[in-house]
Amino acid sequence: MIDIKKVGQDQAQLLKQAADKDQLSHAYLLAGNDEELAVNTAYWLICYLNCTGVQKPDGTCANCRRILEGNHPDIRLVDVPDKRQTISIDQVRELKQELMKRPAEGTYRFFIINHAQALTLPAANGLLNLLEEPIAPVITFLVANNVNQILPTVKSRTQIINFSQVQVSDRTSFLLENGLSQEEIDLLGETAAFDRQLKSFYQELQGQDSLSLITAHQLAASIKKQKQASGVLEKYVWIMLKRWANEDLDQAALRPVAASLLTDLMKIDQMRQSNVNFLSSLDYLALQRQK
Ligand SMILES: [Zn+2]
């Protein structure tokens, strides 16, 4: 249920200022572990831009009501369909067909893509030209709880606004944002030694070192020994590999390998949904580097 009274205050002000100066970006990535707050804030801005009341956005005028009830012709919401875990290329195509249309009523049209971390790889690629400077006035909001799941090429076409809550420690909040529950983080416990082993695997991948195939097997074996924590550790491996690859994107020399690693890591996310086992996924990652 959308509630424009529960928004990120700082983030809403940032968007309001941009709107008032006519400097809104054509694409925003609203990122962080509080997706509801992020979605509400996107709707808050849309109401602000369309509201006919005195205190904008009032949430009660005819325009605001139609927006909040999902009946406004200038707004398209794309989300994960019921019983599915991904946003498909077909859903993105529907948006593309709308891209050239002028706004029916207001100054802008708005596309909201909720749970953008669930875009399939083809869907994310299909999104790319949607995120280029559009011909018609369209503002796209991608809402994602996990920025590491967003393709670098998508990310670089958006302005990122952070919605993370910062009360928890950096490590905990990072892991929460990346899909672990607090229980899983507790189960994971201290990981310094494991981190070193994982980091050397990462460096072997990055260096296209054939040793990575052996290290993959060692990693899988040491995770298996952790019995009840092994499931969480497997998730943790994918989270950390993505984190390091994302960090390496900032370094020109490392960028090409990091980008291809990230693409493969996203393929692995899809493989995992079809229950491809952990070691096979690690092997895949190592073999891809040695092509
Ligand atoms: Zn209003």
Side-chain angles (χ1 to χ4, degrees), residues 231-247:
V232 190
L233 273 167
E234 288 179 6
K235 285 193 201 174
Y236 180 77
V237 164
W238 304 122
I239 293 172
M240 294 309 288
L241 292 177
K242 276 189 204 141
R243 176 184 194 156
W244 292 324
N246 265 302
E247 286 169 0

Side-chain angles (χ1 to χ4, degrees), residues 51-53 57-61 64:
C51 184
T52 56
D58 57 10
T60 53
C61 72
C64 285

